[in-house]
Amino acid sequence: MNQVTIHWDVVIALYIFFSWCHGGITNINCSGHIWVEPATIFKMGMNISIYCQAAIKNCQPSKLYFYKNGIKERFHITRINKTTARLWYNNFVEPQAFVYCTAECSRYFPETLICGKDISSGYPPDVPDKVACVIYEYSGNMTCTWNPGRPTYIDTKYVVYVKSLETEEEQEYLTSSYINISTDSLQKGKKYLVWVQASNVLGMEKSKQLQIHLDDIVIPSASIISRAEDINTTVSKTVIHWDSQTSIEKVSCEMRYKDTTNQTWNVKEFDTNFTYEQQSEFYLQPNAMYVFQVRCQETGKKYWQPWSSPFFHKTPEIGKK
Ligand SMILES: *[C@@H]1O[C@H](CO)[C@@H](O)[C@H](O)[C@H]1NC(C)=O
Ligand SMILES: *[C@@H]1O[C@H](CO)[C@@H](O)[C@H](O)[C@H]1NC(C)=O
Ligand SMILES: *[C@@H]1O[C@H](CO)[C@@H](O)[C@H](O)[C@H]1NC(C)=O
Ligand SMILES: *[C@@H]1O[C@H](CO)[C@@H](O)[C@H](O)[C@H]1NC(C)=O
Ligand SMILES: *[C@@H]1O[C@H](CO)[C@@H](O)[C@H](O)[C@H]1NC(C)=O
Ligand SMILES: *[C@@H]1O[C@H](CO)[C@@H](O)[C@H](O)[C@H]1NC(C)=O
Ligand SMILES: *[C@@H]1O[C@H](CO)[C@@H](O)[C@H](O)[C@H]1NC(C)=O
Ligand SMILES: *[C@@H]1O[C@H](CO)[C@@H](O)[C@H](O)[C@H]1NC(C)=O
């Protein structure tokens, strides 16, 4: 008669792995202890040791096993003493993993779970750079962004500091990416210093300080291309209609356009008064698909609107309207 072999290691591995996936590992009762040296969260690429110590009633473990993400480890395991074993990893680069260990108490008994742990590796934050704060007109917010640098893979928090240069008063905002600061909370004058501090368990970095004047960072309300009109004069002429709800008087704009089969943009610049809808004339090739985009800034300031969404227009064939 064939003996039926139950692979208890597989059964336990699946059970543990699925309860981990569903966040249920905290409900598992440990019969012992698992720990990581140098730490549970460590710098990516380090060599680490994972220790497992059994404390199971009436059990003198004959073997101790380690699993990573449900898969049994075969190498670099050292038995330290009767209750404890060590698993060593060289150059550990996985951002997240779950490890657990089991004990074999006797040959006739299923493996018993000792304990499990989430481990993660990552990097300390880079120095945040390219800190920029803008006020989208009518938004009621100052939006501050920065370049966080390379991914850290681990939970990283940013604190945005805003200090009034007039009253020296300082405010802090905690976030995980960019931040919107209500302009109502910026009543302490017009000039501020802004900087960003990044931190996680592996380190902390501070950006350079950015000096801002609230009047210099307003981005005019979005510009929108509404329609195109082909005029059948002797030369083929297209009029592009575009507008913005901005209340800023002096606005500089750029309209870029190209034949969609061409890589190169043509750019036209305008000093615009949005009291009226804008109408701009273009002399284009007939029977071609063109794309237009516009963007504006308050004249003389630093920040531009993003390019408007592409507006496509096909010019008529020669001789036809
Ligand atoms: C863990 O132990 C507690 C208290 O002994 C028990 O109520 C619970 O059912 C155990 N959980 C598991 C998953 O064995
Ligand atoms: C990791 O271990 C290897 C092999 O023992 C060694 O060459 C290397 O220097 C160690 N790396 C670190 C970061 O300790
Ligand atoms: C076994 O080794 C571990 C790790 O070095 C230690 O904490 C533990 O006390 C030792 N146990 C015995 C029984 O020697
Ligand atoms: C201003 O920021 C707040 C908080 O982030 C947000 O709830 C609100 O929608 C923003 N206002 C506008 C007009 O986007
Ligand atoms: C922040 O403000 C910008 C511009 O007002 C808005 O588009 C964005 O949705 C806001 N973000 C949040 C998280 O409220
Ligand atoms: C354009 O063509 C239409 C029909 O062919 C004609 O009625 C109209 O006068 C033309 N307009 C111009 C500006 O040439
Ligand atoms: C824009 O046009 C309006 C209406 O003609 C005029 O009152 C205003 O002075 C113009 N603004 C600028 C900056 O030229
Ligand atoms: C693409 O556009 C550029 C700029 O308008 C123009 O000089 C060039 O001839 C165009 N190329 C083609 C293949 O149409």
Side-chain angles (χ1 to χ4, degrees), residues 258-259 261-266:
K258 66 185 183 78
D259 183 329
T261 61
N262 196 327
Q263 296 292 316
T264 318
W265 290 99
N266 302 285

Side-chain angles (χ1 to χ4, degrees), residues 217-244:
I217 60 171
V218 179
I219 291 187
S221 167
S223 310
I224 293 158
I225 300 173
S226 54
R227 64 193 175 97
E229 201 182 352
D230 295 305
I231 312 280
N232 52 335
T233 52
T234 42
V235 277
S236 146
K237 182 166 87 176
T238 299
V239 178
I240 298 293
H241 297 253
W242 50 294
D243 209 352
S244 161

Side-chain angles (χ1 to χ4, degrees), residues 57 151 153 242 316:
K57 260 190 205 162
Y153 302 103
W242 50 294

